[in-house]
């Protein structure tokens, strides 16, 4: 009886070690396979008509320079053509609450293919889009969100800026837009 118990324990131990080894090999393969499966040319993964990281960084740099020029502290967000965050900068001291607002402005501009000021004007009481800000979650309908276009006019993303007055936010966003043109 003691011999049977010892044999059963040995089999269980060997089975456990075998299982652990198989799991370890599986984990290593899971980490190694994506690296082998990734195409050598990342350009094949870029969608035509979408903002590049270099363009987004150029927009942020120009917007940030304008914020410094006017003495404001800004959160600056750039989204791609699909409304996904591509680049973001929070200047030291910029309001924490403005992080989400800047992203919301950029996404709102892209979702409706117009500046957030234009959308806000159409969303006032008595106007055709009154109440739109409660329809999609995190829409922001005051100035500071602007579309970004390629030289041929194709919308490639949007910039959203928040951290000061609406007028200052709009000026900083427009400086970012101008950097692409």
């Amino acid at each position: 009886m003691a011999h049977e118990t010892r044999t059963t324990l040995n089999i269980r131990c060997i089975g456990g070690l075998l299982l652990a080894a198989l799991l370890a090999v599986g984990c290593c393969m899971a980490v190694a396979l994506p690296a082998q499966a990734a195409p050598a040319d990342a350009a094949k993964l870029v969608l035509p008509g979408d903002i590049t990281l270099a363009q987004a960084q150029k927009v942020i740099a120009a917007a940030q320079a304008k914020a410094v020029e006017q003495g404001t502290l800004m959160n600056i967000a750039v989204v791609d053509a699909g409304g996904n965050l591509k680049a973001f900068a929070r200047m030291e001291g910029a309001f924490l609450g403005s992080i989400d607002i800047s992203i919301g402005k950029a996404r709102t501009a892209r979702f409706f293919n117009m500046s957030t000021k234009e959308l806000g004007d159409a969303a006032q009481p008595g106007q055709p889009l009154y109440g739109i800000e409660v329809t999609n979650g995190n829409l922001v309908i005051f100035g500071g969100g602007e579309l970004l276009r390629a030289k041929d006019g194709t919308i490639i993303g949007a910039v959203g800026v928040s951290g000061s007055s609406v007028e200052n936010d709009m000026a900083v966003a427009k400086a970012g837009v101008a950097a692409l043109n």
Side-chain angles (χ1 to χ4, degrees), residues 101-102 104-125 127-130 132-133 139-147 158-161 165-171 173-174 177:
I101 295 171
S102 66
K105 286 180 182 183
R107 293 183 78 212
T108 301
R110 179 58 190 113
F111 286 169
F112 294 97
N113 294 334
M114 67 179 75
S115 75
T116 54
K117 168 143 181 25
E118 291 174 285
L119 185 60
D121 290 346
Q124 295 304 306
Q127 296 302 309
L129 297 179
Y130 178 66
I132 195 168
E133 70 277 7
L139 292 184
V140 181
I141 60 165
F142 48 91
E146 298 287 337
L147 290 174
V159 59
V161 176
S165 68
V166 171
E167 293 75 20
N168 285 340
D169 291 358
M170 289 171 42
K174 288 179 181 179
V177 171

Side-chain angles (χ1 to χ4, degrees), residues 1-14:
M1 186 96 170
H3 177 69
E4 284 180 38
T5 304
R6 202 175 298 152
T7 302
T8 304
L9 287 175
N10 285 342
I11 290 172
R12 285 186 183 163
C13 286
I14 292 171

Side-chain angles (χ1 to χ4, degrees), residues 38-64:
D41 185 6
K44 293 178 182 175
L45 301 174
V46 177
L47 297 173
D50 205 358
I51 192 166
T52 66
L53 180 58
Q55 288 171 314
Q57 290 171 332
K58 188 175 181 180
V59 168
I60 294 226
Q64 194 170 358

